[in-house]
């Protein structure tokens, strides 16, 4: 194949991909409604009947087609930028994985090419593993577009869909954590990730015993240019309002006309976190059961050089009965509640290997690729209302005097009287 012909094929493959991303769903939805008022109305009726009968398939693993993933057009697509997938650690197919991907970019070029096609050679690098890129659930309500996306292994980013996949070994669910909100901040030469109030993927991995793998697409923000409005401005407010209503972020972007710039995109996945203990989620049957004798998260001995935490009285109401019966003099939450909240045993720490600076046994730490080091710390506290900015050492976990988490920490609530905090810091 000559160089000129190869270049034209790459341009055509990228053009069809951009048009598919922008107009495929709207075009075929309008076409089927138009056919209802023509002599071909039976085509639309039969498809909508099939759509109703088949509506649960996207949340049941979908219909993956290896034939579609291996189309020659995807090889031309990855060669246009090019897109490269780098393997830094083995991912055995005997367990499930949650891949937290950043950044979103304008069109998720790196994640789509690496995990939805065989252009970069995912199946050769990770044999036996089935990647599934999680997308907005509303996209799977669009006729014909849903069939197209399921063919590439895409799935809705909904709890039933993710539970179904993670309950089965050999599945790797790719979640673009920042979502559409992150696309509003993508710009060449800048690396901004959106993490606040987006810690559900960590809890999901804990409940299913899945390994958490950080993934970063270097060069994702370079393939398009975007007009970014100042935070707090009226136009930025309109963008956020539109995103909240529809789930899509209206980005004003451009490239080489409608095509992206041919800038290299390198998708790198870090070594997965080991030793994650499967924890059954409340009311869910997909998670694995914990062992009969789970490892103790607290040895019963106070932290070296630390006094026991003082009690926290509650005014007007007594403590929950389960806590009053099982609470120790140090007011630690009972073992059953710690397991129900999705805690881990001790993980690979950050800092000295031992001593008072080591993170508590309920911390899960993960490393990001390159020179980015990210730490995800999950701490469980109990009480009637866990305020924002609560110290990890307060109310039962850790030791007094633990440093306060930074302002970028995202705090989330656990069921009942438990509150879980997930902290991600980039250094």
């Amino acid at each position: 194949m000559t160089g000129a012909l190869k270049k034209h094929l790459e341009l055509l493959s990228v053009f069809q991909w951009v048009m598919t991303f922008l107009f495929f769903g709207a075009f075929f939805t309008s076409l089927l409604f138009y056919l209802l008022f023509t002599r071909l109305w039976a085509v639309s009726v039969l498809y909508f009947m099939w759509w109703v009968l088949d509506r649960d398939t996207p949340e049941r693993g979908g219909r993956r087609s290896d034939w579609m993933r291996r189309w020659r057009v995807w090889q031309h697509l990855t060669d246009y930028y090019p897109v490269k997938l780098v393997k830094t650690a083995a991912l055995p197919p005997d367990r499930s994985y949650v891949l937290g991907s950043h950044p979103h970019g304008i069109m998720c070029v790196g994640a789509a090419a690496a995990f939805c096609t065989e252009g970069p050679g995912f199946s050769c690098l990770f044999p036996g593993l089935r990647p599934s890129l999680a997308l907005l659930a509303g996209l799977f309500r669009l006729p014909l577009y849903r069939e197209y996306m399921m063919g590439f292994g895409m799935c809705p980013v909904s709890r039933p869909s993710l539970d179904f996949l993670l309950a089965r070994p050999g599945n790797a669910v790719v979640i673009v954590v920042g979502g559409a909100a992150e696309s509003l901040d993508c710009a060449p030469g800048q690396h901004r990730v959106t993490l606040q109030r987006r810690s559900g993927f960590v809890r999901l991995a804990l409940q299913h015993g899945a390994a958490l793998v950080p993934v970063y697409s270097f060069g994702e923000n370079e393939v398009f240019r975007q007009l970014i409005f100042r935070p707090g401005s009226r136009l930025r407010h309109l963008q956020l309002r539109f995103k909240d209503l529809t789930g899509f972020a209206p980005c004003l972007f451009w490239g080489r006309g409608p095509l992206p710039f041919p800038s290299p995109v390198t998708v790198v996945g870090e070594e997965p976190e080991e030793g994650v203990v499967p924890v059954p989620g409340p009311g869910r049957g997909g998670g694995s059961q914990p062992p009969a004798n789970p490892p103790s998260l607290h040895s019963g001995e106070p932290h070296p050089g630390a006094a026991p935490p003082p009690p926290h009285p509650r005014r007007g109401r007594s403590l929950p009965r389960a806590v009053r019966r099982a609470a120790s003099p140090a007011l630690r939450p009972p073992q059953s509640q710690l397991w129900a909240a999705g805690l881990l045993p001790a993980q690979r720490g950050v800092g000295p290997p031992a001593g008072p600076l080591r993170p508590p046994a309920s911390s899960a730490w993960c490393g990001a690729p390159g020179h980015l080091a990210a730490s995800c710390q999950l701490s469980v506290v109990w009480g009637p209302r866990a305020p924002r900015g609560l110290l990890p050492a307060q109310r039962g976990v850790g030791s007094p005097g633990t440093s306060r988490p930074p302002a970028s920490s995202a705090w989330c609530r656990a069921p009942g009287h438990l509150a879980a905090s997930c902290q991600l810091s980039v250094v």
Side-chain angles (χ1 to χ4, degrees):
M1 183 181 300
T2 63
L5 178 59
K6 172 66 174 176
K7 180 61 68 174
H8 283 85
L9 291 176
E10 292 175 359
L11 291 173
L12 288 175
S13 64
V14 174
F15 179 77
Q16 67 84 24
W17 179 74
V18 172
M19 294 298 104
T20 299
F21 182 91
L22 295 176
F23 305 114
F24 191 107
F27 174 78
F28 281 100
T29 300
S30 303
L31 178 63
L32 287 176
F33 275 104
Y34 169 75
L35 293 179
L36 286 174
F37 304 97
T38 66
R39 290 182 294 180
L40 300 177
W41 60 268
V43 175
S44 298
V45 171
L46 290 175
Y47 178 81
F48 284 123
M49 291 175 60
W50 160 256
W51 184 87
V52 171
L53 296 175
D54 194 57
R55 63 184 180 276
D56 293 331
T57 299
E59 295 183 346
R60 297 287 180 176
R63 283 186 294 270
R64 180 188 303 268
S65 172
D66 289 335
W67 173 70
M68 292 179 62
R69 292 172 57 89
R70 298 178 185 276
W71 282 352
R72 185 64 178 173
V73 65
W74 307 130
Q75 186 62 56
H76 296 308
L77 175 70
T78 56
D79 292 341
Y80 171 81
Y81 297 97
V83 178
K84 183 180 180 181
L85 179 62
V86 178
K87 178 180 179 180
T88 59
L91 301 181
D94 58 350
R95 65 183 307 179
S96 56
Y97 300 88
V98 175
L99 279 63
S101 178
H102 286 287
H104 184 283
I106 298 295
M107 295 186 182
C108 289
V109 172
F115 304 114
C116 297
T117 74
E118 290 298 330
F122 182 90
S123 61
C124 296
L125 296 174
F126 306 98
L129 204 61
R130 298 180 298 275
S132 299
L133 180 62
L135 302 179
L136 188 67
L139 295 175
F140 291 86
R141 299 187 182 97
L142 300 178
L144 293 180
Y145 196 32
R146 64 191 291 272
E147 321 295 340
Y148 184 80
M149 292 186 296
M150 285 192 294
F152 296 104
M154 302 179 188
C155 67
V157 61
S158 62
R159 187 58 184 267
S161 174
L162 301 181
D163 283 340
F164 183 90
L165 292 172
L166 293 177
R168 290 156 175 79
N171 286 316
V173 179
V174 184
I175 301 177
V176 185
V177 181
E182 195 172 78
S183 64
L184 294 174
D185 292 322
C186 65
Q190 300 183 11
H191 297 272
R192 300 178 182 177
V193 296
T194 302
L195 291 170
Q196 190 174 9
R197 295 186 298 274
R198 295 176 184 268
S199 57
F201 70 103
V202 179
R203 186 182 303 175
L204 187 70
L206 297 178
Q207 290 179 347
H208 288 277
L212 191 61
V213 182
V215 177
Y216 202 90
S217 299
F218 294 93
E220 179 73 41
N221 292 341
E222 312 293 330
V223 298
F224 282 108
R225 305 293 184 265
Q226 180 184 192
L227 180 61
I228 299 179
F229 300 108
R230 179 177 53 85
S233 64
R234 180 175 299 180
L235 292 176
R236 184 59 172 261
H237 176 74
L238 291 176
Q239 285 182 312
L240 295 175
R241 182 62 176 169
F242 184 87
K243 179 189 71 67
D244 293 338
L245 293 175
T246 64
F248 301 96
C251 301
L252 301 180
F253 63 93
W254 66 92
R256 297 174 59 183
L259 303 182
F261 292 105
S263 178
V265 179
T266 303
V267 182
V268 182
E270 187 56 85
E271 181 180 357
E273 280 297 317
E274 300 295 338
V276 179
V277 177
V279 179
R284 303 282 180 181
S288 304
Q289 296 294 331
N293 298 315
S296 177
L297 298 179
H298 296 282
S299 61
E301 298 295 330
H303 198 278
H312 299 272
R314 299 171 59 188
R315 298 180 180 179
R317 295 177 60 188
S318 61
L319 293 173
R321 181 178 302 175
V323 177
R324 293 202 309 270
R325 290 179 179 177
S328 65
L331 289 182
R332 292 192 178 99
Q335 185 78 23
S336 60
Q337 293 193 19
L338 292 174
W339 274 92
L343 289 181
L344 306 175
Q347 296 275 328
R348 171 169 55 88
V350 174
L357 294 181
R358 186 175 180 83
S362 58
S363 299
W365 298 85
C366 54
H371 295 281
L372 295 177
S375 63
C376 298
Q377 176 179 356
L378 182 67
S379 303
V380 169
V381 297
W382 59 270
R385 288 184 180 273
R388 289 184 179 272
L390 190 65
L391 293 178
Q394 291 179 340
R395 303 189 181 184
V397 176
S399 62
T402 306
S403 60
R404 187 178 183 86
S408 59
S409 301
W411 296 84
C412 53
R413 294 294 181 87
H417 293 273
L418 296 177
S421 65
C422 182
Q423 169 187 347
L424 182 64
S425 305
V426 177
V427 296

